[in-house]
Structure formats: C-alpha cells, structure tokens
Amino acid sequence: MGELTNFYNPTAVAIVGASKKPGKVGNSIVKNMIESGYPGKIYPVNPKDSEIEGLKAYPSVTAIPGPVELAVLSVPAAKVVEAARECGEKGIPYLVVITAGFKEIGKEGLDLEKELVATCRRYGMRMLGPNCVGMADTHTPINASFTRNSPLKGDIAFLSQSGATLIAILDWSRSVGLGFSKMVSLGNKGDLSEIEFIAEAAADPYTRVIACYLEDVADGARFLDVVREATRKKPVIILKSGTSQAGAQAASSHTGALAGSDLAYDTAFRQCGVIRARSLTELFELAIAFSRCPVPAGKRVAIVTNSGGPGIVATDNVEARGLTMARFTRETIDELRAGLPAEAALYNPVDVLGDGKADRYRFAMEKVLADPNVDSMVVLMCPTAVAQPVETTRAVVELQKQYPGKPILGGYLGGESMAEAVQLMAEAGIPCFTFPEPAIAAISGLVNYGQFREMPGDGNELSYPDVDKRAVKAIFYDVIRDNRLVLLGSEAAAVARAYGISAAPVSLATTPDEAVEEAQKMGYPVVLKVASPKILHKTDVGGVKVGLDSPEAVRRAFVEIMENVNLLLPEAVVYGIEVQKMMPKGTELIIGMTRDVQFGPMIACGLGGIYVNLLKDVSFRLARGLTRREIENMLAETKAYTLLRGYRGEKPADLPALVDAIGRTARLVLDFPEINEIDINPVFAYNQGLSALDIKITIS
C-alpha cells in the first residue's frame, strides 16, 4: 500500500472537534465511526465534554493514553494548525482535515493552508483535505466522514474532488444498491491527492475499478507515471470537469492555436490508459460495467432484441463507438433460421419479434453466445403485451453463468413493467440500462480498456545519444543575451540540426553580397526570408522571395524585402535576410510543441502547410513517456497518414525518418524546459528522408 499503509485500517482514531450536539459535523463523524462497525478504538477529543455518544472523551490528543494512527480534525480553521501540531507531537501518521476556510476562500486561507501543510511535513504526517467530507472503507470497515449514511460494501473505489458530489452519489448509490470498496473526498488536496489514492486502490484486493471526479491535476508528470502503472492493474475511469488553461495563451503558433483548452487532459488520459467519462451518468455506468463484467476478448458485439427500432439504434451506436457487429458463422445462422419464425431477423441484430417470449429469447441467446465470433452480447427488450421480462431475465442469468468470459448487458426499455426484471439483473450482477446507448458505451469502455491492457509495455523513453546539447545551450545563451525570446530562422535550424532533425540549409546575410555568397555555397535555387523575431508571418509583409536562381535575382530580392519591411513595419528590428536552400516539394507536414501547465510539452504532428489551421488534421501526444509505438499511432490517427503511405500511385513517404524526427523533437523539449513553443511547418516528407523548412522556436 506504500504511502497509505494503515490509512484505511488504523488501529485507533481520534476525532478532534467531536461534539455531543446532534447536527454538528463533529457529532456526525463520531456516529458514523460507531455505526460503520469500525473495529478499532475511537477517541472523541473535546475539552468541554467527558463523554460523547457513549465514548469517553479527552481534552486533547496528547491526553489519549494509547497510540493513534488517524486523526480527524473538525475544528475552526484558526485552530487547525495547532491541532495538527498536537497530532504531530503525538506521533499520529495520518490526518483527515474536514474543516473549510483554506485556499478556497482566497489569499488568507491559502497562507493558512501552506502553514498547515508545512506542519504536516515537519512531523512526517500525511493529510487528506482540508475542506473535505472525509473518507470511508467498507472492508475495514470505517467511515471517517460526515455523510448521512455509510456506503454499501462493494468493489468500486470512488474519489471525488467535490464533497457535494460524493455525498449525492452516496445517497443515490444506496437507493440502487450500488456498493463501494472505499470513498474519498479529496477536498483541497493540500497534501494527498488523487495520485496517492489511485495508486493505493490499484493495489487494494477489494477494489476492482477506480472511478474519479476531478477538477484538476496538480502534478501532471507524477500523475502520468503513477496512473500509467495503475491502469495496467485495474481500470481507472475519470470524469474531468472544467477546462485546462493550457494552450489558451499559446496562439502565437499553429500548434498553440490547434491545442484546445481540454486537449491536454484527453491526451494524458489516453496515453496512460484512463477511460474518460463525459458525465456523472457515464462515469457510474462505466464503473458498474467494469465492476460486474469481464473484459471481452474483442470488439464483436451481438444484439438480441424483440423490436427493430432499438436494434437499429444499438447497431448505429456499435459502429459509432468503433465496435463491430459480430458476423455469425453459417452454423449459427442455420440454427437460428430453423428455430425462429420466418419473419425473424437472423444476421445481427437478431430480432425475435414482438411476440417473442422467454423461450424464444433463450433459444436465440444460446445460439448467439455459443458463436465463436461473438465477444459480447446486448439483450434489448420492449414491454410488449406478450413479453416475459422476468422469465427472460432468468434465462439471461443462467446463460451468464455458462459464458462467464462474454459480457452480457441489458437494455430494458420501459418502466414499471420492467422493474422486477431490472431488479433481477442487478441482483445477478448484470448491468441493465433503460436504453441501448449506455449499454453500447459500456461495452466500448470495456473493449478499449482490454485493448490498452493487451498492448505490450514499451516504457522506455526515446533516447538519442548523438544529440549536441552544448550547441543548443550556446544558441539559447546568445538569444537571451540579445534580450530575445524568439529564435531567428537560422538559429532554429541550427537547434534542429544539433538534435539530428534534418533541416534545409539556411544562413543569415546582412548585405546583398553576403546573400549571394551564401546562395552560391548552397547552390541555386534559394529562398530569401526576412530575419526578425517581431515578424511571425513573413509573407504578409513581402518578406519572402522564392525560386531565386541567379546572383542578380538574389541581390534584387534582398533589396526588395528590406524595402517592403521598412515600408510596412518601420519599427521592426531586422537582423538581416536568411538565405535558405530551396528544397524539392514533398508531402507537407507540421511537427510542433506547445507546453501544457499540468502535463508539460505536447507534441503535435499532422498535415502542414498553409491549410494547417483550416483542416486541423493534427494528432497530439505528451512528450513525457513518448515511445516509438505511440508516435506511430499518432501518425496513423491523421488523414495525412493516407498520403504518407502512398496515395494514387505516389511512392510512400519515409515513415521511419518522420517517426525519428518527431521523437527527436520530443527529446529536445524534454531536455530544454525553457522551450515554450516549437513550430516546424512545413516539413517536406520524401520517399527517402525529410526536410524541415520553416522552424519557429520560442523560449521562456
């Protein structure tokens, strides 16, 4: 259990701020501890009372005679730090701070929270909260919270950054018979956060699935490392509310403009195997499915229904979710044809018709589940006059036992007439929904997690021993010394070359004669571009001339560019004119990076050129933990991938060279955290190799 050993299973608990008065938080915590069946010792602490809820009360924590492993603090905010200090002197390893009035109220509260955290650090204590509801574990059992009731015993660990959400879910869960292994209100996450609790739940033998409601992730790098390991053991489902600020201020580059406010979380969750829920409803529909269903062997879904409409809706959702409709064997189809009415649909969805009773459902489901091409099954039922929901459900329950490796989910459309059957499904541990869509969504979650878990571990970050870090440091030093944050094109190209990223030759010239000299070294034709950190879109001011194939053309272009810039942007500082070798045309791509507040650098790759922001054919990955396989998957997600593989007779692009360039870009931004943004657009991908043409690098 690591950092949380005995947090959920302490030998003794002190409740600081315990109260005799009903309705007080301190009284509710004492009652919950007693009523939960907690087997250890409970010590109420209140200097004014000698007995609370039948338990001896103590004037202070230090007056408690024996050792204490957990203290729950419910005292006014102004007294919390002193109470925590007493707990530290007592040698208590864990605190749950219920009290509000910390960073959530502003600077004064933030300063108080910092003092509280510092006190915990001083005494080596770990703290949940402050400003939280508390925690409960049904297998200890313990309920160190002020919820109205204790959760039912189950195998779902629920972590919530919102206390009100946790309380509401607990109340709802009892009404539907949903159990939890543990529930944790994270509060302000002054010390312990979702990271420690996800790691603990992943190692907990009583937890099968981890469900989280989060509003932010404070330590993105550590989150990625810990959760990537946790999801290899158990499914982690997260509802992330709100939006990240990452990318919102990064509109100076194409990559920054493409990175939406919530994109970093999507990318992070996908890379570390988290299943992202989009609503509280979906969060618990997925949690229930993972709690009760096996992970299917594949994505082939069969549907058995007594109504065509819901069957079509389910089929549409199967395709929309990236699943496939199972194709039955010839033997299965022949058996279905022999045993079902002539009007029945046989080819998936299987429609047993509106007059189908339990025996017809049983027959169809038996044949479908026995088919080797079926990985999971959804049973849909409409309450027709002759339907037999209860009898049909009994058949479903029996078949589930016969085929334990194939998930069965229900979609029982209707209400009152389906209530008893729905209850039977719940008692048997079979997820049952009112409509087809959530059933298909649950199967999609199961399938996606299964695919992630089966992916071979490739945890080694990309390494390039041939990179020249000293050259990059020297370039950055010169840029900063020049009071600039934007690199010139020649400097950016030098950075790329230092990291083995193939870039078109480029040099800086300050006179027409220098430009001609550089052009002759490179060989014609060449391109001339104005070199100014203040001019991001050079073509807009006549700052680019292409296809120059003679000394005269270079001299003329040099003068014209300088005149254009002086006319349109007389205040711009111009460092000279960049002379660049004009490269042959290739497939135009973009490789970029923008830095996220929580998760660090995000790498982008996709279709480049002038239409990059219009088409937005770009895929993102976090640089941290990026592997070659992830880069290959990243490319495969784009429409540009079709062009790269060879389209309409064109030769395929050099994909290994492109993967290498993306990997080297990721290594560069990880090695140099001062890099704020990179845009390499376009990159010309060739049949052999590639060439970066226009490179923009911004440092902080």
Side-chain angles (χ1 to χ4, degrees):
M1 300 295 176
E3 294 176 283
L4 297 180
T5 302
N6 295 338
F7 175 80
Y8 291 108
N9 190 24
T11 55
V13 177
I15 303 168
V16 184
S19 173
K20 295 182 69 171
K21 188 175 181 180
K24 287 281 190 179
V25 170
N27 181 259
S28 297
I29 297 169
V30 176
K31 284 183 176 178
N32 280 346
M33 285 293 297
I34 295 170
E35 293 171 3
S36 70
Y38 171 64
K41 296 178 180 179
I42 303 172
Y43 297 115
V45 177
N46 189 316
K48 298 179 180 178
D49 297 308
S50 59
E51 178 268 331
I52 296 175
E53 295 297 327
L55 299 172
K56 182 180 178 180
Y58 294 84
S60 67
V61 166
T62 52
I64 296 172
V68 176
E69 285 187 290
L70 175 70
V72 184
L73 275 55
S74 179
V75 296
K79 297 183 178 180
V80 166
V81 173
E82 179 58 33
R85 188 177 298 114
E86 286 189 12
C87 291
E89 292 170 357
K90 176 70 176 175
I92 298 174
Y94 300 112
L95 297 183
V96 175
V97 181
I98 304 291
T99 308
F102 290 88
K103 69 180 179 184
E104 77 277 7
I105 66 168
K107 184 182 184 303
E108 184 179 343
L110 176 60
D111 292 341
L112 188 60
E113 185 166 320
K114 287 180 179 178
E115 187 180 356
L116 173 60
V117 173
T119 301
C120 291
R121 295 279 190 273
R122 188 179 311 122
Y123 290 99
M125 295 184 290
R126 302 310 309 266
M127 176 186 68
L128 171 63
N131 184 31
C132 73
V133 171
M135 67 84 172
D137 186 305
T138 61
H139 295 272
T140 299
I142 185 173
N143 184 0
S145 77
F146 65 95
T147 57
R148 185 177 294 274
N149 296 294
S150 291
L152 301 175
K153 184 180 287 189
D155 54 15
I156 300 171
F158 179 43
L159 317 176
S160 177
Q161 198 166 341
S162 163
T165 298
L166 182 140
I167 291 171
I169 291 299
L170 172 56
D171 192 59
W172 164 79
S173 69
R174 291 180 64 88
S175 70
V176 298
L178 181 64
F180 294 89
S181 56
K182 51 197 60 179
M183 299 184 85
V184 180
S185 168
L186 297 171
N188 288 5
K189 301 192 291 189
D191 175 30
L192 294 170
S193 72
E194 66 282 342
I195 298 172
E196 290 84 6
F197 289 108
I198 287 173
E200 191 282 334
D204 176 31
Y206 299 109
T207 295
R208 187 168 176 178
V209 56
I210 304 163
C212 309
Y213 168 82
L214 299 180
E215 293 165 3
D216 65 10
V217 169
D219 188 345
R222 189 159 164 260
F223 178 91
L224 289 171
D225 292 342
V226 171
V227 178
R228 186 181 283 116
E229 183 177 343
T231 52
R232 289 288 176 185
K233 302 173 185 175
K234 291 171 187 176
V236 177
I237 309 165
I238 296 179
L239 170 61
K240 163 65 179 65
S241 67
T243 57
S244 161
Q245 293 304 308
Q249 74 279 14
S252 63
S253 73
H254 289 297
T255 307
L258 290 166
S261 61
D262 206 34
L263 179 66
Y265 280 97
D266 262 344
T267 306
F269 290 171
R270 181 171 63 246
Q271 275 181 253
C272 61
V274 166
I275 300 157
R276 185 167 190 181
R278 296 293 177 176
S279 66
L280 278 170
T281 300
E282 187 178 15
L283 176 65
F284 283 97
E285 286 171 348
L286 288 167
I288 290 168
F290 276 102
S291 170
R292 298 174 179 176
C293 294
V295 173
K299 60 181 182 178
R300 301 168 298 181
V301 183
I303 298 166
V304 179
T305 180
N306 67 345
S307 179
I312 294 170
V313 170
T315 301
D316 289 345
N317 273 265
V318 165
E319 295 184 0
R321 291 277 182 174
L323 305 170
T324 59
M325 293 293 286
R327 297 175 65 89
F328 301 144
T329 64
R330 173 53 56 188
E331 291 77 10
T332 299
I333 293 171
D334 289 343
E335 289 173 343
L336 289 171
R337 181 178 289 112
L340 294 177
E343 300 84 1
L346 310 176
Y347 294 95
N348 198 19
V350 177
D351 189 349
V352 301
L353 304 177
D355 62 349
K357 296 184 179 180
D359 57 344
R360 195 183 295 172
Y361 258 110
R362 178 189 289 273
F363 171 80
M365 292 187 296
E366 283 178 339
K367 300 306 177 185
V368 165
L369 286 170
D371 193 298
N373 295 334
V374 172
D375 299 314
S376 58
M377 182 178 74
V378 177
V379 182
L380 303 177
M381 193 186 315
C382 290
T384 65
V386 297
Q388 297 176 312
V390 172
E391 293 81 357
T392 301
T393 298
R394 292 195 180 108
V396 173
V397 173
E398 292 175 17
L399 288 168
Q400 182 208 35
K401 295 174 183 176
Q402 293 179 35
Y403 296 92
K406 296 187 177 185
I408 301 175
L409 291 87
Y412 284 11
L413 289 78
E416 184 179 348
S417 61
M418 290 290 181
E420 186 178 353
V422 170
Q423 182 63 30
L424 283 175
M425 292 281 269
E427 291 172 358
I430 301 174
C432 189
F433 306 96
T434 307
F435 298 106
E437 295 93 334
I440 304 302
I443 291 177
S444 175
L446 291 165
V447 169
N448 290 340
Y449 178 68
Q451 291 175 340
F452 168 79
R453 200 172 58 180
E454 289 174 5
M455 281 170 35
D458 189 7
N460 296 324
E461 281 192 307
L462 298 170
S463 175
Y464 302 96
D466 60 338
V467 302
D468 189 349
K469 292 183 182 180
R470 294 181 65 181
V472 176
K473 286 180 181 178
I475 293 168
F476 288 171
Y477 176 80
D478 289 341
V479 171
I480 293 170
R481 189 176 59 178
D482 196 31
N483 293 317
R484 287 186 285 125
L485 296 178
V486 179
L487 275 66
L488 302 177
S490 54
E491 295 167 331
V495 168
R497 286 193 296 271
Y499 264 68
I501 301 167
S502 179
V506 58
S507 297
L508 181 66
T510 57
T511 67
D513 287 341
E514 283 184 13
V516 170
E517 183 180 348
E518 293 299 329
Q520 289 177 329
K521 287 179 185 177
M522 296 175 189
Y524 295 103
V526 296
V527 178
L528 263 58
K529 305 176 186 177
V530 63
S532 172
K534 296 295 184 182
I535 305 176
L536 295 178
H537 303 291
K538 301 176 177 65
T539 55
D540 294 347
V541 295
V544 178
K545 300 290 183 180
V546 301
L548 308 175
D549 57 3
S550 68
E552 293 76 18
V554 169
R555 285 193 179 90
R556 186 167 55 251
F558 188 104
V559 173
E560 288 178 1
I561 289 175
M562 294 298 289
E563 288 176 347
N564 291 339
V565 172
N566 287 333
L567 179 64
L568 296 174
L569 292 173
E571 303 297 324
V573 177
V574 177
Y575 284 73
I577 302 294
E578 291 168 348
V579 183
Q580 186 177 52
K581 174 71 175 175
M582 191 166 179
M583 306 302 292
K585 196 75 173 174
T587 302
E588 290 190 61
L589 303 171
I590 181 173
I591 300 173
M593 185 282 294
T594 186
R595 197 168 288 275
D596 179 75
V597 174
Q598 279 83 12
F599 299 106
M602 281 200 307
I603 303 294
C605 184
L607 199 61
I610 61 173
Y611 300 113
V612 60
N613 283 331
L614 177 65
L615 300 179
K616 298 181 179 179
D617 177 39
V618 178
S619 180
F620 284 84
R621 289 294 188 277
L622 297 173
R624 184 179 179 86
L626 189 63
T627 64
R628 185 170 298 277
R629 183 178 292 106
E630 276 291 342
I631 297 174
E632 292 168 352
N633 292 340
M634 178 184 180
L635 289 170
E637 291 170 2
T638 67
K639 294 183 179 68
Y641 191 60
T642 303
L643 299 175
L644 294 171
R645 289 187 302 170
Y647 184 69
R648 291 194 171 183
E650 293 290 330
K651 291 183 179 180
D654 190 344
L655 283 171
L658 183 56
V659 170
D660 185 69
I662 296 170
R664 288 175 179 274
T665 303
R667 188 69 263 159
L668 170 65
V669 298
L670 288 169
D671 288 346
F672 292 92
E674 60 265 44
I675 299 177
N676 210 37
E677 288 183 277
I678 291 180
D679 247 21
I680 311 176
N681 180 42
V683 177
F684 280 172
Y686 304 124
N687 178 243
Q688 288 187 333
L690 54 80
S691 181
L693 268 66
D694 194 1
I695 307 174
K696 296 184 180 72
I697 298 178
T698 304
I699 58 177
S700 60

